[in-house]
Amino acid sequence: MGQDAIQIEGLTLRRGGFTLGPLSLTVGEGEIFALLGHTGAGKTVLLETLAGFYPGRHEGCIRLFGRSAEEIPVGQREMGFVYQDYGLFPHLTVEQNITYGPRMHHMPRAETEKKLDALTEMLSIRHIRGRYPAMISGGEKQRAALARALMLDPKILLLDEPFSALDPGTRQKLYGELRHIHEMFGCTILFVTHDFHEAQQLAQRIGILLNGRLRAVCDADRLFVERYDEDVTSFLGGSHDGTEII
């Protein structure tokens, strides 16, 4: 890893009765980092804040590759975002969904076609390019959403509960494809999940987010070994004496 891809210092964001932060976090360039937490912990809000969904509404500092995020227009942050429900436009075909970003950025048609061919081949969805989202499976929707996010060569890939709606077999296949994407594109990946096994299997480091606060950060293989306070230990489902939880 080179420089830090994401630096968050003292971030606080208030939305209605919920407060995210204050929290600080650093994610290295090329790292796969998992945010682990229960529903409503603020995981999605944190991703959306990084992506620029709440301009001027947060306190603290966010830097992307050393540059203040406030100085970078949302469309130029070089981020790909995949929501839990995939976010595919139902009235567009898979191909039209995947090429939506390049069309908005006026990418040359030849370049768009080349990337479309490569990504749909890599993700094994070339045969469904002409179908609509209602006509394809959950795994195919996830692959289409990943392809769309990758079309603009993001430096940072944000994934919101990317595999939660999939059956175990499809989930395992997509774990492998995500690792392949990471190797090919070299992008930094920040994903959120409530699945302990998924976080350990995919990430290099894991952050535990509870009630809007980042309560712990550890290496993935140390998740059930580190000592935590009682709240984190309770979330993980074990004692807080530092012994490994099986």
Side-chain angles (χ1 to χ4, degrees):
M1 290 185 288
Q3 64 180 316
D4 293 328
I6 300 169
Q7 293 174 294
I8 302 171
E9 298 175 3
L11 174 68
T12 302
L13 175 72
R14 297 173 180 85
R15 293 193 68 210
F18 176 77
T19 300
L20 175 68
L23 64 83
S24 298
L25 173 67
T26 298
V27 180
E29 182 179 7
E31 183 175 11
I32 303 179
F33 191 99
L35 276 172
L36 186 62
H38 52 65
T39 301
K43 304 185 300 295
T44 300
V45 174
L46 178 54
L47 293 192
E48 290 176 337
T49 303
L50 290 172
F53 287 21
Y54 310 112
R57 292 177 54 186
H58 66 78
E59 301 170 13
C61 179
I62 299 172
R63 293 186 180 88
L64 304 175
F65 296 96
R67 184 179 174 191
S68 172
E70 296 295 318
E71 301 174 359
I72 310 172
V74 173
Q76 297 177 22
R77 293 193 179 187
E78 297 183 279
M79 288 183 171
F81 199 128
V82 178
Y83 271 108
Q84 181 178 359
D85 63 0
Y86 316 124
L88 299 175
F89 299 115
H91 62 290
L92 299 181
T93 64
V94 167
E95 178 172 325
Q96 291 167 337
N97 266 283
I98 294 172
T99 59
Y100 181 81
R103 290 200 305 273
M104 294 300 100
H105 285 77
H106 307 291
M107 182 184 291
R109 184 178 181 86
E111 184 180 354
T112 298
E113 288 293 332
K114 183 178 180 180
K115 288 188 173 183
L116 175 66
D117 288 343
L119 284 170
T120 54
E121 184 69 29
M122 182 182 75
L123 292 167
S124 302
I125 53 172
R126 193 165 188 167
H127 63 293
I128 62 166
R129 283 168 45 165
R131 300 180 191 174
Y132 290 89
M135 303 165 61
I136 62 178
S137 70
E140 289 168 339
K141 289 176 184 176
Q142 182 60 273
R143 290 180 174 93
L146 282 169
R148 183 175 64 181
L150 293 167
M151 279 293 287
L152 295 174
D153 296 321
K155 290 184 177 178
I156 299 173
L157 188 59
L158 305 175
L159 306 176
D160 182 17
E161 299 274 5
F163 311 114
S164 61
L166 304 177
D167 64 83
T170 302
R171 191 178 301 138
Q172 285 295 326
K173 289 179 182 177
L174 278 163
Y175 288 171
E177 290 176 7
L178 185 63
R179 293 190 195 95
H180 184 52
I181 286 168
H182 181 250
E183 291 173 3
M184 284 195 64
F185 288 82
C187 54
T188 302
I189 298 176
L190 176 59
F191 75 96
V192 302
T193 182
H194 60 265
D195 187 313
F196 303 156
H197 174 70
E198 182 171 285
Q200 281 196 299
Q201 189 166 347
L202 289 173
Q204 294 157 306
R205 288 191 302 145
I206 297 171
I208 299 173
L209 192 69
L210 301 179
N211 301 316
R213 302 291 294 273
L214 187 65
R215 302 292 294 274
V217 175
C218 66
D219 290 341
D221 60 359
R222 299 283 300 175
L223 179 62
F224 294 118
V225 180
E226 295 289 349
R227 292 179 179 272
Y228 305 106
D229 64 30
E230 292 189 11
D231 290 339
V232 174
T233 300
S234 176
F235 169 70
L236 292 174
S239 66
H240 59 281
D241 61 1
T243 57
E244 186 168 5
I245 301 169
I246 305 299

